[in-house]
């Protein structure tokens, strides 16, 4: 045989491999070379494109609005646009709870988990259901204020309207990118170039990171374009980019790495070597230190190389702090089962966003904690919709050393289940944002958890008497440093007086959108006089805040760093100047919709106090 033919064969195989790589980026499925060649020579079949707006908002991690309203809530993403193409701050849009880095620079800020992969930067999410399952061809996101927060778009194989849930739920990333700073807050239609997938979907998930934004991002609607029949990939229109191959390999390695969480490592299959090279000369502790910089998928892959590294990668000391949130789409009961032997010494565990749609069962979660809960100090379970009363009971029984518990947006937990938390007397941080905790359970928790330093009760709508709650805090929680009462509906000056008298170590207090507080009762001046350590105070949308309150803050709370008085009509530029001159550490001042503070005043204050971010929102 002529040597030319083997060379042609090799080149053909290489070209075929490139086509496979390119096809996987688009469909994640198989495509043979004949179909690839034929698609170059014939026209693709006509496939009518379906255009649809979101029918329903299924799930989300947070929102600015109230649970009993439509203003600034995620539910505004369902249906046709309300605002677009207008720009500005509108109540008819979907708004997440935070923006910028301000929440990471206050007393309640939590330490980050190490080993978080650089590719995962999501802070919030929202899941949207559409009427018709389609193969997506485009996703349009209508952003009406401070765009640029969306960092990932995913599609799910499960049909939320199907009567028969699938045996396996798959999530595929249609598009992802690091957070970017967009010049200007104006509205835009964001249409990233998405990857083709090999299953139809009517469940789309947006993940956002607002850390680079100057204010809250506002989303108006999401439009899904797609076809009913799986499109045939056309190779005619683009050349193969070798960079695409590298990117695809990275994605493939990530998937393989996480798949190994669900497979038992068998040390018998690892190859025996007479020596371990230079690793034999390194101290055990040094190898452990080197491996501590690897992510969980990297540890799983490395464990398959040799017995020595298997031993290091399975050492429980590598899993003292473990965050599984970046891998939420792949974590299930099997993952937890095979991590059990490695997590016997675990102290910090992050299972936020995991386990939904049946991926983690109550029994699977309980088995894991019974083996791995004894040393747990911090447990993050935000948006864990698999949690029920049994889970909370297991947490309180199996985690005697627990100090931090995050149940943010766990809105499926029944009200009576929260009574179990009172058994964890060592708690220092408790986050109950958007939960169904009731007054009786909360009073019991406050009575028995006197070590509490950080407490979040934002948007807890089932509490009937916040004055009674505030009174109990003042009597029992003397060590409280941060308190979130965002949108609590019925606290009055009486509750504030009890709170300020009993919790004088408070450094952070969020009273945003608390409509029953009135400045004329002296509640805000009382706060300023009793809480000299305040660093963050949010009085958002309280229209009664006046110059007297601001002057009391200037006189008594000189350590103030963040102040939100959005919406007040009673504050003048003169009192703000006094505040800025007195509070040298002030870095955030939100005066949006303050009728006496116009853009000219903001420009003047910015010029005189350049170290303070003074925010003035607008509506067009």
């Amino acid at each position: 045989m002529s040597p030319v033919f083997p060379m042609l064969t090799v080149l053909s195989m290489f070209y075929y491999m490139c086509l496979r790589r390119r096809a996987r980026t688009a469909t994640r499925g198989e495509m043979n070379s004949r179909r690839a060649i034929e698609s170059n020579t014939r026209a693709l079949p006509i496939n009518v494109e379906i255009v649809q707006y979101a029918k329903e908002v299924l799930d989300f991690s947070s929102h600015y609005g109230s649970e009993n309203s439509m203003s600034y809530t995620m539910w505004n993403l369902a249906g046709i646009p309300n605002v677009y193409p207008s720009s500005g701050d509108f109540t008819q849009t979907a708004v997440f709870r935070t923006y910028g880095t301000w929440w990471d620079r206050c007393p309640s800020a939590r330490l980050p988990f190490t080993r978080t992969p650089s590719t995962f930067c999501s802070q919030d999410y929202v899941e949207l259901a559409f009427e018709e399952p389609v193969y997506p061809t485009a996703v349009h996101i209508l952003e009406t204020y401070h765009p640029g927060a969306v960092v990932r778009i995913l599609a799910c194989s499960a049909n939320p309207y199907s009567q028969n849930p699938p045996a396996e739920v798959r999530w595929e990333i249609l598009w992802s990118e690091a957070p970017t700073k967009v010049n200007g807050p104006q509205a835009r239609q964001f249409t990233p170039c998405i990857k083709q997938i090999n299953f139809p979907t009517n469940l789309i998930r947006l993940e956002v990171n607002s850390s680079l934004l100057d204010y809250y991002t506002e989303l108006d609607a999401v439009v899904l374009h797609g076809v009913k029949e799986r499109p045939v990939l056309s190779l005619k229109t683009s050349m193969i980019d070798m960079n695409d191959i590298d990117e695809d390999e990275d994605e493939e390695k990530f998937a393989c790495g996480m798949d190994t969480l669900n497979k038992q490592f068998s040390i018998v299959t690892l190859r025996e070597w007479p020596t371990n090279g230079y690793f034999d000369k390194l101290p055990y502790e040094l190898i452990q230190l080197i491996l501590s910089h690897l992510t969980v998928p990297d540890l799983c892959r490395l464990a398959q190389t040799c017995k020595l590294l298997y031993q290091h990668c399975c050492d429980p000391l590598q899993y003292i702090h473990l965050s599984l949130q970046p891998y939420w789409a792949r974590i299930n009961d099997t993952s937890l089962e095979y991590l059990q032997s490695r997590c016997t010494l675990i102290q910090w565990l992050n299972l936020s966003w995991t386990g939904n749609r049946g991926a983690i069962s109550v029994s699977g979660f309980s088995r894991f904690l019974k083996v791995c809960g004894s040393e747990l100090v911090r447990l993050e379970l935000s948006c864990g919709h698999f949690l029920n009363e049994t889970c909370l009971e297991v947490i309180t029984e199996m985690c005697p050393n627990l100090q931090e518990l995050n149940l943010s947006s766990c809105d499926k937990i029944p009200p009576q289940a929260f009574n179990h938390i009172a058994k964890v007397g060592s708690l220092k941080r408790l986050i109950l944002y958007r939960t169904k905790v009731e007054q009786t359970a909360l009073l019991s928790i406050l009575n028995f958890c006197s070590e509490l330093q950080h407490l979040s009760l934002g948007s807890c709508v089932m509490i009937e008497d916040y004055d009674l709650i505030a009174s109990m805090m003042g009597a029992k929680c003397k060590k409280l440093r941060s308190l979130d009462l965002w949108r609590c509906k019925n606290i009055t000056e009486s509750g504030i007086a009890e709170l300020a008298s009993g919790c004088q170590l408070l450094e952070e207090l969020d009273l945003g959108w608390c409509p029953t507080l009135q400045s004329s009762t002296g509640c805000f001046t009382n706060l300023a006089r009793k809480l000299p350590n305040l660093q963050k105070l949010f009085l958002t949308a309280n229209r009664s805040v006046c110059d007297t309150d601001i002057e009391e803050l200037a006189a008594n709370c000189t350590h103030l760093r963040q102040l939100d008085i959005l919406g007040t009509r009673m504050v003048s530029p003169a009192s703000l100047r006094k505040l800025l001159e007195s509070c040298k550490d002030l870095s955030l001042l939100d005066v949006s919709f303050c009728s006496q503070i116009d853009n000219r005043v903001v420009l003047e204050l910015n010029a005189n106090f350049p170290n303070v971010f003074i925010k003035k929102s607008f509506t067009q």
Side-chain angles (χ1 to χ4, degrees):
M1 177 187 287
S2 170
V4 175
F5 292 104
M7 181 60 69
L8 289 175
T9 303
V10 170
L11 291 175
S12 299
M13 290 178 64
F14 176 73
Y15 183 62
Y16 170 65
M17 290 171 62
C18 292
L19 296 181
R20 285 291 303 273
R21 292 288 188 186
R22 188 70 174 180
R24 189 183 290 116
T25 304
T27 65
R28 303 295 291 175
E30 295 184 359
M31 180 186 70
N32 57 47
S33 56
R34 177 178 297 177
R35 181 181 298 173
I37 294 170
E38 288 176 353
S39 65
N40 250 341
T41 58
R42 68 166 187 251
L44 295 177
I46 297 176
N47 204 347
V48 177
E49 187 174 62
I50 298 173
V51 178
Q52 49 187 333
Y53 290 96
K55 178 181 179 181
E56 185 180 358
V57 176
L58 297 179
D59 189 23
F60 55 90
S61 55
S62 77
H63 60 183
Y64 186 90
S66 165
E67 300 303 295
N68 301 319
S69 170
M70 288 296 291
S71 297
Y72 296 123
T73 63
M74 287 298 119
W75 300 304
N76 285 318
L77 277 176
I80 62 175
N82 298 309
V83 174
Y84 187 84
S86 297
S87 297
D89 190 339
F90 290 91
T91 61
Q92 303 96 322
T93 58
V95 184
F96 292 98
R97 176 77 193 275
T98 65
Y99 72 93
T101 58
W102 307 110
W103 278 258
D104 298 326
R105 291 192 259 164
C106 56
S108 63
R110 288 165 285 168
L111 293 173
F113 278 78
T114 57
R115 291 183 135 146
T116 301
S118 59
T119 54
F120 181 80
C121 57
S122 304
Q123 298 173 331
D124 276 295
Y125 74 85
V126 59
E127 292 181 0
L128 305 168
F130 295 79
E131 183 72 36
E132 294 288 337
V134 294
Y135 292 91
T137 55
V139 176
H140 301 315
I141 304 170
L142 307 184
E143 304 171 277
T144 54
Y145 199 37
H146 289 278
V150 178
V151 292
R152 280 213 300 189
I153 305 174
L154 301 97
C156 184
S157 62
N159 183 343
Y161 301 119
S162 172
Q163 299 298 320
N164 303 312
E168 179 187 7
V169 176
R170 290 175 53 198
W171 285 93
E172 286 285 349
I173 299 174
L174 299 180
W175 171 88
S176 68
E177 194 173 282
T180 55
K181 179 85 171 179
V182 177
N183 293 325
Q186 287 74 26
R188 72 169 185 177
Q189 176 179 289
F190 179 51
T191 308
C193 182
I194 65 171
K195 179 181 72 176
Q196 290 186 19
I197 55 176
N198 64 356
F199 59 82
T201 183
N202 61 338
L203 175 51
I204 297 294
R205 175 177 171 125
L206 308 182
E207 293 185 357
V208 305
N209 181 313
S210 303
S211 62
L212 298 183
L213 301 186
D214 292 334
Y215 206 56
Y216 300 95
T217 190
E218 299 191 8
L219 310 179
D220 193 13
V222 176
V223 192
L224 174 62
H225 291 238
V227 292
K228 297 293 288 183
E229 300 296 328
R230 182 175 172 182
V232 179
L233 180 67
S234 174
L235 301 173
K236 173 180 178 177
T237 56
S238 61
M239 299 295 291
I240 293 173
D241 185 351
M242 297 304 295
N243 292 326
D244 289 347
I245 297 177
D246 294 336
E247 290 172 3
D248 197 41
E249 284 177 347
D250 290 341
E251 194 172 304
E252 188 177 81
K253 285 193 293 184
F254 171 80
C256 292
M258 286 314 302
D259 286 343
T260 57
L261 286 178
N262 303 332
K263 297 176 183 176
Q264 186 172 17
F265 296 143
S266 175
I267 197 166
V268 178
T269 63
L270 298 175
R271 185 172 179 179
E272 297 276 2
W273 295 95
T275 68
N276 295 301
Y278 288 108
F279 282 106
D280 284 333
K281 299 181 179 180
L282 295 178
Y284 190 93
E285 295 80 2
L286 183 55
I287 298 177
Q288 285 290 96
L289 178 62
I290 294 171
L291 299 191
S292 69
H293 295 279
L294 297 181
T295 63
V296 176
D298 289 336
L299 280 178
C300 294
R301 285 192 291 269
L302 189 62
Q304 299 175 86
T305 56
C306 67
K307 284 188 176 181
L308 176 68
L309 291 179
Y310 177 92
Q311 179 183 359
H312 279 282
C313 292
C314 295
D315 191 322
L317 291 175
Q318 288 290 341
Y319 301 85
I320 298 294
H321 294 178
L322 177 63
S323 176
L324 296 177
Q325 182 180 7
Y327 321 109
W328 61 266
R330 293 184 174 90
I331 299 300
N332 54 29
D333 281 349
T334 308
S335 309
L336 296 183
E337 181 180 349
Y338 288 120
L339 282 168
Q340 278 184 20
S341 62
R342 301 165 177 81
C343 295
T344 53
L345 300 178
I346 191 168
Q347 296 177 8
W348 288 14
L349 175 62
N350 186 0
L351 285 173
S352 294
W353 301 5
T354 65
N356 298 334
R357 295 184 174 82
I360 294 178
S361 66
V362 172
S363 58
F365 176 77
S366 301
R367 284 194 302 270
F368 182 82
L369 277 196
K370 286 175 182 177
V371 175
C372 309
S374 61
E375 302 297 323
L376 265 182
V377 175
R378 176 179 176 184
L379 182 57
E380 304 280 341
L381 295 169
S382 173
C383 305
H385 300 313
F386 66 91
L387 295 171
N388 63 7
E389 184 172 2
T390 300
C391 295
L392 289 196
E393 188 175 4
V394 169
I395 290 171
T396 58
E397 291 178 357
M398 298 295 127
C399 308
N401 299 306
L402 196 64
Q403 296 180 11
E404 300 188 22
L405 179 60
N406 180 5
L407 298 175
S408 171
S409 291
C410 293
D411 53 0
K412 302 294 190 296
I413 301 176
Q416 71 275 6
F418 293 93
N419 285 294
H420 294 287
I421 298 176
K423 303 172 189 174
V424 190
S426 56
L427 273 182
K428 295 182 178 179
R429 184 189 302 271
L430 179 60
I431 302 176
L432 298 177
Y433 168 72
R434 288 191 67 239
T435 62
K436 294 177 180 176
V437 62
E438 288 183 333
Q439 186 164 300
T440 303
L442 185 54
L443 288 171
S444 179
I445 292 170
L446 296 174
N447 186 44
F448 290 102
C449 300
S450 57
E451 297 297 312
L452 276 174
Q453 297 180 16
H454 305 282
L455 178 62
S456 173
L457 300 174
S459 292
C460 292
V461 298
M462 301 190 70
I463 298 172
E464 299 169 354
D465 188 351
Y466 269 98
D467 280 347
L468 183 58
I469 297 298
S471 177
M472 180 66 82
M473 289 180 201
K476 296 290 185 177
C477 302
K478 302 292 185 179
K479 298 180 181 179
L480 208 59
R481 292 179 53 216
S482 73
L483 177 61
D484 179 9
L485 295 178
W486 174 264
R487 292 189 181 274
C488 87
K489 58 185 178 182
N490 52 36
I491 193 167
T492 68
E493 67 277 3
S494 174
I496 292 296
E498 297 274 3
L499 182 68
S501 297
C503 303
Q504 296 190 2
L505 297 181
L506 271 174
E507 300 172 358
E508 177 180 343
L509 182 58
D510 193 333
L511 296 171
W513 296 89
C514 295
T516 50
L517 292 176
Q518 293 298 315
S519 174
S520 58
T521 63
C523 59
F524 300 136
T525 57
N526 188 31
L527 275 179
R529 292 169 183 171
K530 294 285 184 64
L531 303 177
N533 297 316
L534 273 181
Q535 297 180 28
K536 173 182 175 179
L537 178 62
F538 275 27
L539 302 175
T540 317
N542 192 304
R543 289 163 175 76
S544 70
V545 175
C546 62
D547 283 345
T548 303
D549 303 319
I550 301 301
E551 289 167 5
E552 287 289 344
L553 287 172
N556 298 286
C557 302
T558 55
H559 301 296
L560 200 62
R561 296 174 181 270
Q562 300 180 28
L563 177 64
D564 186 342
I565 54 171
L566 175 149
T568 181
R569 302 185 180 94
M570 313 290 288
V571 172
S572 68
S575 64
L576 287 184
R577 291 189 189 94
K578 289 182 182 179
L579 179 78
L580 292 165
E581 289 167 357
S582 176
C583 301
K584 304 296 184 183
D585 296 328
L586 196 67
S587 56
L588 171 64
L589 177 61
D590 194 337
V591 292
S592 299
F593 303 109
C594 293
S595 56
Q596 294 192 45
I597 313 300
D598 57 23
N599 288 332
R600 179 187 57 80
V601 173
V602 171
L603 290 173
E604 177 197 332
L605 294 176
N606 274 325
N608 294 327
F609 303 95
N611 295 327
V612 184
F613 178 75
I614 303 174
K615 180 58 188 175
K616 177 71 173 177
S617 186
F618 72 95
T619 301
Q620 287 183 350

